[in-house]
Amino acid sequence: MSSKLQLKATWTFAIGPVDAPHTVIRKENLIVNNGIDALFDSLFKTASRPAVFNYMGVGTGNTVPESTQAALVTEAARVTTSYTHSGASRLGTIQGLFPAGVATGELKEAGLFNGSSGSTMFNRVLIGPATKGVDDPMTVTVEIEVL
């Protein structure tokens, strides 16, 4: 019997008020090599396990995501995230809020990290570009599904 495990991450960028965003963008991402290594080390390593990926960054770089990338091309801001998962569900949700005045302008890339600066990047996605005005909050949701 053959069994195949896949991870699918779908990002949703909602720019504007939480109850009525004026821009909503959905994209899928690439899990980079360092992210795959951290995933295996989190599951099976008995010592020196990686820190939790509870930070989200956005930036202005627009190069095509590559598996060898270790950081966003041009990071603009990073925030802490919340995480939810219901037992036996195949879906986990990570969410971050970039408040008004933070990460404004033309945003083009995003990723999940396990530290407030530097650190290991799990994945990278190209956003659009998406224009985030100085008065706009932006809620970013990442749904990671095991297929």
Side-chain angles (χ1 to χ4, degrees):
M1 174 179 222
S2 170
S3 166
K4 187 175 183 179
L5 176 71
Q6 294 180 21
L7 289 179
K8 177 183 175 185
T10 304
W11 292 69
T12 303
F13 302 86
I15 303 171
V18 173
D19 56 347
H22 58 74
T23 303
V24 177
I25 299 168
R26 288 186 176 79
K27 296 284 183 168
E28 292 184 9
N29 72 197
L30 172 71
I31 298 174
V32 297
N33 292 345
N34 289 344
I36 293 168
D37 293 343
L39 178 64
F40 277 103
D41 289 350
S42 294
L43 292 171
F44 303 109
K45 199 171 184 181
T46 58
S48 301
R49 296 171 70 166
V52 173
F53 286 85
N54 62 339
Y55 292 89
M56 177 183 293
V58 294
T60 59
N62 65 355
T63 61
V64 174
E66 296 285 338
S67 61
T68 56
Q69 290 173 318
L72 295 178
V73 174
T74 311
E75 188 168 331
R78 197 178 290 195
V79 298
T80 57
T81 61
S82 63
Y83 164 75
T84 57
H85 171 259
S86 298
S89 166
R90 297 173 81 79
L91 183 70
T93 303
I94 298 103
Q95 191 168 68
L97 172 65
F98 293 85
V102 174
T104 60
E106 290 282 322
L107 300 175
K108 299 176 184 169
E109 62 179 337
L112 294 176
F113 298 86
N114 67 352
S116 60
S117 63
S119 67
T120 302
M121 181 170 69
F122 181 74
N123 55 358
R124 182 167 177 263
V125 65
L126 289 182
I127 298 172
T131 302
K132 182 179 179 295
V134 69
D135 295 327
D136 288 330
M138 179 172 69
T139 302
V140 181
T141 305
V142 184
E143 293 180 325
I144 298 181
E145 185 178 9
V146 177
L147 304 173

